[in-house]
């Protein structure tokens, strides 16, 4: 395994742990808050995150074709605990020797993809979802530059064709930067806009 290939597993681990950190900040009164994922409360978003962790863990072990592996957890009573356990499961699976040389079946794509690409998809998902949770709670997401740059590289490869975006698709349409702000946007903001988020609508408390 090359150093760069190994790095993507580490970058994914950092993003997942940051997502765990911000989810763990939620209090009992926060789970009903609206999130940047249209129509989803924080509780629903975190359930989706847990389900995806379990699905990717299964895909890493050759079981991604089993639809049940991708289902959101039925237990919605302790979202942070359930999410934390799911995050541990996917990090354990991605930490297995040879994971990047395997093929992952990802139902959303309808195909199998090389392990390195699949881990990259998971990485960008959890950079964005860590931000989703953080801004729902009004706090800052804390990720190093190399993780944000790696996520942006993946986001730039996601097809931008409007026919492949929107309801029923994995991603919302690309959101252009406001006039005068197109140049100089940071890696995180560019990633968010490429994947359909509007960061200007979700300011973080000072």
């Amino acid at each position: 395994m090359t150093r760069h290939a190994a790095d993507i597993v580490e970058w994914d681990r950092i993003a997942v742990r940051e997502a765990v950190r911000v989810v763990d900040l939620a209090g009992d009164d926060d789970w009903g808050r609206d999130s940047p994922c249209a129509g989803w409360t924080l509780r629903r978003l975190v359930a989706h995150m847990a389900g995806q962790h379990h699905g990717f863990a299964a895909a890493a072990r050759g079981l991604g074709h089993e639809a049940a592996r991708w289902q959101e957890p039925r237990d919605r009573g302790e979202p942070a605990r359930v999410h934390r356990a799911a995050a541990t499961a996917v990090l354990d699976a991605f930490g297995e020797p040879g994971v990047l040389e395997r093929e992952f079946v990802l139902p959303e794509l309808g195909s199998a993809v090389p392990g390195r690409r699949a881990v990259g998809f998971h990485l960008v998902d959890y950079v964005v979802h860590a931000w989703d949770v953080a801004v729902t709670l009004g706090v800052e997401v804390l990720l190093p530059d190399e993780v944000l740059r790696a996520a942006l590289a993946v986001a730039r490869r996601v097809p931008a064709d409007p026919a492949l975006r929107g309801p029923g698709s994995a991603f919302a349409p690309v959101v252009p930067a406001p006039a005068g702000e197109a140049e100089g946007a940071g890696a995180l903001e560019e990633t968010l806009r490429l994947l359909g988020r509007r960061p200007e609508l979700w300011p973080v408390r000072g």
Side-chain angles (χ1 to χ4, degrees), residues 23 27 29 31 35 37 75 86 96 105 107 118 133 150 154 157-158 183 192:
V23 169
D29 295 334
W31 298 110
S35 80
C37 298
D75 180 0
E96 293 174 359
V105 173
V133 174
V154 176
R157 293 196 294 271
V158 176
E183 295 186 4
L192 295 170

Side-chain angles (χ1 to χ4, degrees), residues 20-127:
V20 169
R21 182 187 74 84
V22 292
V23 169
D24 283 350
L25 295 176
D28 291 343
D29 295 334
D30 292 322
W31 298 110
R33 290 182 181 223
D34 291 333
S35 80
C37 298
W40 284 8
T41 63
L42 180 61
R43 187 184 300 275
R44 174 67 198 284
L45 168 60
V46 172
H48 165 79
M49 292 163 64
Q52 289 286 299
H53 282 326
H54 283 302
F56 271 90
R61 293 170 173 146
L63 301 172
H65 61 285
E66 298 181 6
R69 304 278 184 172
W70 298 86
Q71 290 180 357
E72 295 177 7
R74 295 179 181 177
D75 180 0
R76 301 286 179 94
E78 295 182 75
R81 176 188 61 77
V82 171
H83 173 260
R84 199 178 312 117
T88 298
V90 78
L91 293 182
D92 286 348
F94 283 5
E96 293 174 359
V99 70
L100 299 184
E101 284 71 53
R102 302 174 191 171
E103 283 202 334
F104 286 44
V105 173
L106 303 179
E108 286 184 349
L109 299 182
S111 64
V113 300
R116 190 182 185 287
R117 186 181 301 174
V119 175
F121 291 157
H122 191 263
L123 162 66
V124 75
D125 273 354
Y126 286 86
V127 166

